[in-house]
Amino acid sequence: MKQIILQSLTLSNFKGLRDFALETYGGSVSIFGDNATGKTTLFDAFVWLLFDKDSNNRKGFEIKELDEAGLVVQHGLDHTVEAVLVVDGRRRTFKKVYAEKWTKKRGSAMAEFTGHNTSYFVDDVPKKLNEYKAEVDGLISEDIFKLLTNPSYFNEQLKTDARRKVLLDVCGNLTDAEVIASNKELTPLADILGDRSIADHKKVVEAQRREINKELEKIPVRIDEARRTMPDVSDLDVELLEEDIETLRSRVDTKTAELQRIQSGGELSAKEICLREINAAMTDIKHRIQADSVQAVNDQRERLLQVRGEASDLQARITAGQREVEQYKRQIARAESQVTRLREEWDAANGLEFPSHEHQHDTNCPTCGQALPGDQVQAARDKALADFNLDKSQRLERISADGKAAAAETRTLKNSMFKVEEGLTEFEQKLAEKQAEVSAAEAKLTDLQAAVAAPAESLEYQAKQQEAADVQAEINKLRSSSADAVTAVQSEIRVLRAQIADSEADKAKIDQAKATEQRIDELKAQERKLAAEYERLEHELFLTEEFTRSKVSLLESKINSKFKYARFRLFKPQLNGGLEDVCDTLYNGVPYEGGLNNAARINVGLDIINTLSGHYGFSAPIFVDNAEAVTQLIDTNAQVIRLVVSEADKKLRLERDSDADLIPVDVEVIA
């Protein structure tokens, strides 16, 4: 078994302890002190040294000494913890220094507090943070360390799921096959589960039960809705209704044939044929009389459309040209404005003179401040004048080139605009000519339309008109005589069709009632099927719960057999018959968090550490806080550091278990 022993623990300016050295000489010790004298601080320092947390697993806790207002009492101190460990017989030293960082900014006489630095040392060798963590992890993982050094960590700081996981890691879980084999009632589960686990199958069963239960709740509602919408057909007979419908349809056919005979009498039909022939002859006469005139009108209309289209094209080209001219005018205005601006810029640049007064004070060296020789001063002024003249000349040339280019662009734009304006004049002349053609074509079309002959002026056409009027009068006379008979027959047909509609509506009610009864039967069959499926799922759920109960018994027995004093309850019965996953620690039947005294809590914690130490093959120093509550700690193979409240000890006092006499240790304690 790998073993870590705390040889010594040295604190400097850590949570109120100025300087303190805990020397154990590799054995178990007891630390006595009144409240607030620094007992728990020793454990905090040891955990902080290795894992940057306190004994309550808190990160970022206050390390410095604070006054009653919560302010740091003294700045500029180094806060140091150093531990000498013996790891499997090898001496190892771990040291951590937490120091303030003060920075003096440029231009400031005083340094300012800008944060903290933490330094790390292993066996007196400086280390980076990652290297330090690697060294600590090489000794023992943080989670295992806390489990093996703090009797209350397992029960008070680990959550339920984490405690269960530790126990199952230590004692081993049970396979589903092992649980099923332990109880004959569970034999069917092997085939039911297939490839699923108990937990997954239970989820599937519960989900299916919920869905089936929802459907079972809906079916009575659906049956009730179907019955409420089913029509009353107790006084209807489908066979009688079908006979009535057939008889009524036959009578409608008879009356329809009678109506057709009345409406298509022989003489009336002959008169109507004669009228159609007369109208056709009138149309032929009209076409013959107007044929030439109408053709001339159509030809002239086409000519007018053509001329109008040509005029429209000319107008569109004129509009486009006018827009192009306006665009040229805007471009010319911009170019002329640029010419004017460049001319003014040239005049301004040409008027610039060399600023000799700016170079009258450059007679001293800019570096040392001494007077420069006269020839160097003159050479500097000559060079400045030459640079000025060259810059002025280049600037005038550039402005002149830009002005010439702008003037050339203006001339080009004006020439282009002139050509477009010449084209517009030509198009406007052509448009005036084309509009004159349009007016002439319109006048000619009006004359041709007026010259079209009216058919009514033809004697032949007039004769046919009179003949048609006579035949129409005869037709009207024949129709009026049969109108009453047609009305009577149509009324009878409407009555018969209304009776057919009523009978078909009654027949539809019977069909609807049959469909509803069939739907109700289907719903009842579905209800029986779902109820049977629900019972099957209930049985499977019972088997899964029985499996859980069997597993609980086996698992708790297996786990509890690993511990001498501690007992564990992993499941708690619920009112609905199910089991809730828990991880309660018991001692003599009393829950750890439900009435167990401090002494029992500490010894139960030590019992858990003993078992975990054996499982992990590791032992580390155990810090027992509030150890005054225990008259006798249970045996353990690990080094034990008891932290005992002693009102008489206003300073920490150390007692090694192997010594009969007390070994006083002077410790400066900050109250």
Side-chain angles (χ1 to χ4, degrees), residues 7 24 58 72 175 207 216 241 329 345 388 461 486 502 593 615:
Q7 189 77 14
T24 69
R58 295 176 302 184
V72 176
T175 65
L216 286 172
L241 286 172
K329 288 180 179 180
E345 186 177 348
F388 172 80
Y461 190 82
V486 169
D502 291 341
E593 297 180 351
H615 171 71

Side-chain angles (χ1 to χ4, degrees), residues 336-407:
E336 289 177 342
S337 175
Q338 186 177 6
V339 170
T340 301
R341 180 183 60 77
L342 290 170
R343 185 178 293 113
E344 293 173 353
E345 186 177 348
W346 191 93
D347 291 340
N350 189 48
L352 292 175
E353 295 182 358
F354 177 68
S356 58
H357 61 281
E358 295 182 1
H359 300 275
Q360 293 177 356
H361 303 290
D362 297 337
T363 59
N364 294 329
C365 176
T367 303
C368 63
Q370 295 181 359
L372 295 172
D375 56 343
Q376 292 186 12
V377 173
Q378 185 60 39
R381 291 178 179 175
D382 292 342
K383 184 179 183 302
L385 176 60
D387 291 343
F388 172 80
N389 290 332
L390 177 61
D391 180 68
K392 177 179 179 180
S393 174
Q394 290 175 344
R395 184 175 180 186
L396 290 174
E397 288 177 2
R398 178 181 56 78
I399 296 172
S400 178
D402 292 345
K404 290 176 181 180

Side-chain angles (χ1 to χ4, degrees), residues 7 152 298 435 608:
Q7 189 77 14
S152 66
N298 291 338
Q435 287 175 340
I608 293 172

Side-chain angles (χ1 to χ4, degrees), residues 495-509:
V495 171
L496 291 171
R497 286 177 175 167
Q499 292 174 350
I500 291 172
D502 291 341
S503 297
E504 288 180 338
D506 288 339
K507 185 173 177 294
K509 289 181 181 179

Side-chain angles (χ1 to χ4, degrees), residues 294-585:
V294 170
Q295 183 61 44
V297 169
N298 291 338
D299 292 343
Q300 184 60 26
R301 184 177 288 110
E302 291 181 3
R303 171 60 183 164
L304 176 60
L305 290 175
Q306 178 183 354
V307 176
R308 283 177 175 169
E310 293 172 354
S312 178
D313 290 342
L314 287 170
Q315 183 61 56
R317 297 178 70 176
I318 290 171
T319 302
Q322 290 172 343
R323 287 197 297 268
E324 189 174 0
V325 168
E326 291 300 322
Q327 184 177 0
Y328 276 126
K329 288 180 179 180
R330 289 192 295 272
Q331 292 175 344
I332 290 169
R334 286 196 296 270
E336 289 177 342
S337 175
Q338 186 177 6
V339 170
T340 301
R341 180 183 60 77
L342 290 170
R343 185 178 293 113
E344 293 173 353
E345 186 177 348
W346 191 93
D347 291 340
N350 189 48
L352 292 175
E353 295 182 358
F354 177 68
S356 58
H357 61 281
E358 295 182 1
H359 300 275
Q360 293 177 356
H361 303 290
D362 297 337
T363 59
N364 294 329
C365 176
T367 303
C368 63
Q370 295 181 359
L372 295 172
D375 56 343
Q376 292 186 12
V377 173
Q378 185 60 39
R381 291 178 179 175
D382 292 342
K383 184 179 183 302
L385 176 60
D387 291 343
F388 172 80
N389 290 332
L390 177 61
D391 180 68
K392 177 179 179 180
S393 174
Q394 290 175 344
R395 184 175 180 186
L396 290 174
E397 288 177 2
R398 178 181 56 78
I399 296 172
S400 178
D402 292 345
K404 290 176 181 180
E409 182 182 5
T410 303
R411 290 192 297 272
T412 301
L413 291 172
K414 287 182 177 180
N415 290 335
S416 298
M417 184 179 71
F418 177 73
K419 291 178 181 180
V420 174
E421 288 176 340
E422 285 181 341
L424 283 177
T425 302
E426 182 180 350
F427 287 143
E428 288 171 351
Q429 291 174 356
K430 290 181 179 180
L431 177 60
E433 294 171 359
K434 194 59 65 177
Q435 287 175 340
E437 289 184 32
V438 171
S439 298
E442 289 175 345
K444 185 175 180 180
L445 177 60
T446 301
D447 294 341
L448 289 173
Q449 288 175 336
V452 175
E457 297 177 358
S458 169
L459 296 177
E460 182 183 7
Y461 190 82
Q462 292 175 2
K464 285 295 181 181
Q465 275 187 322
Q466 184 60 48
E467 185 178 355
D470 294 342
V471 172
Q472 185 63 54
E474 293 174 2
I475 290 173
N476 292 339
K477 185 177 180 181
L478 289 172
R479 285 177 175 172
S480 62
S481 62
S482 61
D484 294 339
V486 169
T487 301
V489 174
Q490 289 176 335
S491 177
E492 292 179 10
I493 291 174
R494 284 194 294 272
V495 171
L496 291 171
R497 286 177 175 167
Q499 292 174 350
I500 291 172
D502 291 341
S503 297
E504 288 180 338
D506 288 339
K507 185 173 177 294
K509 289 181 181 179
I510 295 175
D511 294 338
Q512 181 183 352
K514 287 183 178 179
T516 303
E517 287 290 352
Q518 183 179 356
R519 176 59 178 160
I520 291 173
D521 291 341
E522 292 174 354
L523 289 172
K524 289 180 178 178
Q526 182 183 3
E527 186 177 29
R528 291 191 296 272
K529 182 179 178 181
L530 289 173
E533 180 68 12
Y534 191 85
E535 290 180 2
R536 182 185 68 80
L537 293 173
E538 281 284 299
H539 179 64
E540 290 189 7
L541 186 61
F542 167 77
L543 290 177
T544 61
E545 292 174 348
E546 183 64 22
F547 173 93
T548 302
R549 284 187 285 270
S550 298
K551 184 175 182 178
V552 166
S553 177
L554 292 173
L555 193 57
E556 289 184 347
S557 297
K558 184 177 181 181
I559 289 175
N560 290 331
S561 66
K562 300 285 185 178
F563 296 87
K564 186 174 182 179
Y565 301 101
R567 295 294 180 264
F568 298 95
R569 179 172 58 196
L570 301 184
F571 302 91
K572 182 184 294 184
Q574 295 180 307
L575 294 177
N576 59 6
L579 294 174
E580 177 188 0
D581 289 346
V582 297
C583 188
D584 298 333
T585 304

Side-chain angles (χ1 to χ4, degrees), residues 169-201:
D169 287 344
V170 171
C171 303
N173 207 341
L174 294 171
T175 65
D176 292 350
E178 289 174 333
V179 178
I180 292 174
S182 70
N183 188 341
K184 292 182 179 180
E185 291 186 14
L186 301 177
T187 302
L189 264 181
D191 295 330
I192 292 173
L193 291 176
D195 295 332
R196 291 185 186 137
S197 66
I198 285 289
D200 289 342
H201 186 70

